[in-house]
Amino acid sequence: MSFIRVLLAIIFPPLSVIGKGCGSFLIVLLLTFCGWVPGVIAALVILNNPN
């Protein structure tokens, strides 16, 4: 997990997980529309996953 991706996860969560696949992007985008905090949490969890 690089510093730039963590910064992107805090500023605009969907942009930080765009390289993890379309499903991850859509989930984080939906959660970000529901609220900024759920989107940030989901993005950080996805980025922290080693797979």
Side-chain angles (χ1 to χ4, degrees), residues 29-47:
L29 184 66
L30 181 68
L31 286 170
T32 303
F33 283 147
C34 291
W36 178 73
V37 173
V40 170
I41 292 171
L44 289 174
V45 166
I46 291 171
L47 289 175

